[in-house]
Amino acid sequence: MTSPQDRCRLVLIVPDIADAEEKARVLGDALKGGDVASVIIPQYGLDDSVFQKHVELLVPVIQDAGAAALVADNSRVAGRAKADGLHITGNAAALAEAMEKHVPKMIVGGGNAMDRHHALEMGEVQPDYVFFGKLDGDIKPEAHSKNLALGEWWSSMIAIPSIVMGGQDPASAVAVAETGVEFVALREAVFADPAMAASIVAQVNAALDEKAPRFED
């Protein structure tokens, strides 16, 4: 068994479940399936007070599993819930502002890098990671070809880690890993059937152990 640190690792995106306790239970089950580097928590249109209650339930579940809890775009809720970091979906200016306010106390990374130019703008502010794709961008079985190409280009040139959004098929994680990126994000692929979430996390980790390229020290 290879250490997950030397190959592409899994990032989970919390699904849109209205009931906070059910959401925490579903996520907790998924995390029992094996290695997960971090979990991104989108707000999904909830008002701040409701979102905070969700995040306060989710953060301990994530941290107890050894993963980092990253709240999307809401620094106040992230701070109150003692999350590990912030995932910024805005542009490079929004990312720079979040980093100025919250690094090094929090992990700060982000996405919305739609092309090489925007990705390099984000890289200039030295975030903890750059995300290629949208948090709800898993609308097809496979990962978006543009995000795969951006991830491959980025990982061949830039030392800042990157996350590429996968597709609805768990097998898309291997295609993402083959680009050389450090992390693959999955949402629907894991949570479409919550009863299967743990076994899919285990299946994805086994596939990455077997097929993902290894990083050099």
Side-chain angles (χ1 to χ4, degrees):
M1 170 89 180
T2 316
S3 163
Q5 272 72 17
D6 74 350
R7 51 99 169 139
C8 183
R9 296 178 71 196
L10 184 56
V11 171
L12 296 182
I13 298 170
V14 176
D16 187 1
I17 298 173
D19 183 86
E21 291 187 0
E22 183 189 354
K23 187 186 283 186
R25 180 185 60 75
V26 166
L27 178 60
D29 286 347
L31 290 166
K32 292 172 186 169
D35 178 65
V36 172
S38 59
V39 178
I40 299 172
I41 311 171
Q43 191 155 346
Y44 289 124
L46 297 172
D47 70 44
D48 283 3
S49 61
V50 175
F51 185 49
Q52 185 170 326
K53 289 173 184 170
H54 281 233
V55 174
E56 285 172 351
L57 280 176
L58 295 171
V59 165
V61 171
I62 296 165
Q63 293 173 342
D64 287 351
L70 308 176
V71 173
D73 295 321
N74 196 320
S75 59
R76 187 171 298 161
V77 166
R80 287 175 177 167
K82 297 182 170 57
D84 299 287
L86 273 172
H87 176 86
I88 303 300
T89 61
N91 59 17
L95 190 55
E97 183 182 352
M99 290 187 60
E100 190 177 327
K101 289 180 179 174
H102 303 291
V103 171
K105 192 174 61 183
M106 283 184 166
I107 298 165
V108 178
N112 205 24
M114 309 303 285
D115 53 37
R116 293 186 179 190
H117 172 72
H118 287 96
L120 290 171
E121 280 188 341
M122 296 191 142
E124 283 176 8
V125 304
Q126 295 290 307
D128 289 298
Y129 64 86
V130 168
F131 188 99
F132 293 107
K134 296 181 178 178
L135 297 181
D136 59 355
D138 50 347
I139 54 174
K140 294 183 177 179
E142 65 279 0
H144 197 297
S145 58
K146 183 178 75 171
N147 296 330
L148 293 174
L150 284 167
E152 185 168 20
W153 160 76
W154 182 270
S155 64
S156 70
M157 289 183 47
I158 312 286
I160 296 166
S162 63
I163 306 173
V164 168
M165 186 71 206
Q168 294 172 342
D169 185 338
S172 65
V174 171
V176 170
E178 287 170 347
T179 68
V181 302
E182 289 83 358
F183 302 99
V184 53
L186 295 179
R187 187 184 61 137
E188 287 281 317
V190 170
F191 295 109
D193 179 357
M196 295 294 294
S199 62
I200 290 170
V201 168
Q203 171 192 324
V204 169
N205 270 301
L208 293 172
D209 278 337
E210 181 185 352
K211 297 175 181 174
R214 296 312 189 251
F215 302 135
E216 297 173 8
D217 292 333

